[in-house]
Structures are given as C-alpha cells and as structure tokens.
Amino acid sequence: MERNIRLNWDLLVEEAIKRRKGQKISQRRLAAIAGISQPTISRFEQRRKDIQLSSAIKILDVLGSMC
C-alpha cells in the first residue's frame, strides 16, 4: 500500500530551532549528541532539503520533537 506523507518542512525546522535554543544547546553540541556533523545541523536549520532523512530524525529525536 502506497501512502503519500506530506511534512510541513518549514514548521518542523522552526520547531526544532525553537527547542534547541530553548534548551540552550549549540549546533555543535546538538551535532555531538545526535552523532552527525555540525554542518548538517546548519543545513537543516537553513531549511535545506538535501540532508538525509536519518539525520533529520536524529536531530528531532534529540530535541524531543519526535512523536
């Protein structure tokens, strides 16, 4: 069964930025905790869509944004 799942990427990224700043975590620290590079965090926060889904999930998981 094929499903079309749409994400509001801008809203998702905005919430992640809000949570990161609210928790006073730097991009560098978030990258270390998530096990990805700081440039990946930066690209994510610039709303670029050229990052791997697994990286986005790691970022959101660390910030408590995953349901």
Side-chain angles (χ1 to χ4, degrees), residues 5-65:
I5 299 174
R6 293 188 158 260
L7 296 174
N8 185 330
W9 188 253
D10 289 335
L11 186 62
L12 190 69
V13 172
E14 190 61 38
E15 180 64 23
I17 293 169
K18 181 178 165 185
R19 287 179 185 226
R20 179 180 67 77
K21 290 181 177 181
Q23 295 173 31
K24 298 182 180 1
I25 300 173
S26 68
Q27 284 186 355
R28 182 169 290 160
R29 180 72 181 134
L30 175 57
I33 295 168
I36 56 179
S37 70
Q38 186 277 325
T40 298
I41 301 289
S42 179
R43 285 196 320 272
F44 174 79
E45 290 191 358
Q46 291 171 11
R47 293 165 178 78
R48 295 197 27 205
K49 297 175 183 169
D50 64 342
I51 68 168
Q52 293 183 354
L53 180 59
S54 60
S55 295
I57 290 171
K58 288 176 184 180
I59 294 166
L60 298 172
D61 188 43
V62 168
L63 296 173
S65 298

